[in-house]
Amino acid sequence: MKFTTLIKEMLNAPEIKGVTKRSLGSFLIALSGLLLYLDKVIDLIGVGEEMNTFGFSNFPTFIWVFTQSAAPMLMIFGILLRPYISSFLIPVYCYTIQLVWVFQPNLYIDNVYLHLYAIGSCLLFIGLLVLIKMIAGWERKRNKLKAEFEKEKEQIVNILKSKTLSET
């Protein structure tokens, strides 16, 4: 079986061996956020001491850079499976913490403000989703009213045409 055929079948199937596509997609989205902390776990348990660092100063730094690149790709694959929107809160939370660490690397994971920033960004994310959904609803309503108007206009034109033709 070709790879492209396998992907097409997987995207069209409502379930993949008992697991819904949405659940699998949500898992991949959540995993893409959690992958960002793999370097902390590796550093904590001491794995990779003798591993190839590919030019980086140590193995956890290599893993951190690698997961920074791999996580968005995993997220894109998860998006194809139409995940639950709430699953995006995990990567938003994790990426916010990563972003704060870029500008203030001296903060530790137990810093209260770090988590307040992350929670605030999640709330902002939810607010933006609600706003986008409201705007999309207004647009759908406007398009529906426009279509109804066009239909009524067409009916009125047809009535006027038939009256005009019957009078002549």
Side-chain angles (χ1 to χ4, degrees):
M1 179 180 279
K2 285 185 171 180
F3 180 71
T4 55
T5 308
L6 178 68
I7 295 296
K8 285 179 185 176
E9 286 180 13
M10 191 170 98
L11 293 176
N12 292 329
E15 287 191 3
I16 305 166
K17 294 187 179 179
V19 177
T20 64
K21 281 191 329 184
R22 292 190 80 177
S23 298
L24 180 59
S26 298
F27 174 74
L28 292 176
I29 295 296
L31 185 62
S32 72
L34 296 174
L35 260 179
L36 302 175
Y37 297 101
L38 187 60
D39 65 303
K40 308 285 187 273
V41 173
I42 286 176
D43 196 30
L44 187 68
I45 60 176
V47 175
E49 303 275 332
E50 295 84 34
M51 301 291 281
N52 185 359
T53 61
F54 298 95
F56 290 93
S57 60
N58 55 33
F59 192 67
T61 303
F62 164 70
I63 292 297
W64 181 76
V65 172
F66 176 76
T67 58
Q68 292 290 316
S69 301
M73 290 183 230
L74 189 62
M75 186 181 290
I76 290 169
F77 188 67
I79 289 170
L80 292 175
L81 298 174
R82 302 192 190 279
Y84 296 104
I85 296 295
S86 60
S87 66
F88 285 95
L89 291 175
I90 295 170
V92 167
Y93 189 89
C94 295
Y95 272 105
T96 300
I97 290 175
Q98 290 285 332
L99 186 62
V100 171
W101 276 339
V102 167
F103 296 107
Q104 292 191 348
N106 58 339
L107 291 178
Y108 294 101
I109 193 71
D110 61 349
N111 186 297
V112 175
Y113 292 117
L114 186 65
H115 294 286
L116 286 175
Y117 292 140
I119 290 169
S121 66
C122 287
L123 293 174
L124 182 65
F125 179 76
I126 291 169
L128 285 172
L129 287 179
V130 168
L131 180 66
I132 290 169
K133 196 168 188 170
M134 285 173 50
I135 291 170
W138 293 334
E139 185 68 22
R140 277 192 302 273
K141 186 177 180 181
R142 188 175 75 84
N143 288 340
K144 183 180 175 185
L145 289 172
K146 188 176 179 182
E148 288 174 2
F149 173 77
E150 291 294 327
K151 187 176 178 182
E152 286 178 18
K153 182 177 83 172
E154 187 71 30
Q155 289 174 348
I156 291 171
V157 167
N158 287 336
I159 290 169
L160 290 173
K161 278 184 185 177
S162 65
K163 282 190 176 187
T164 305
L165 291 175
S166 66
E167 289 177 359
T168 58

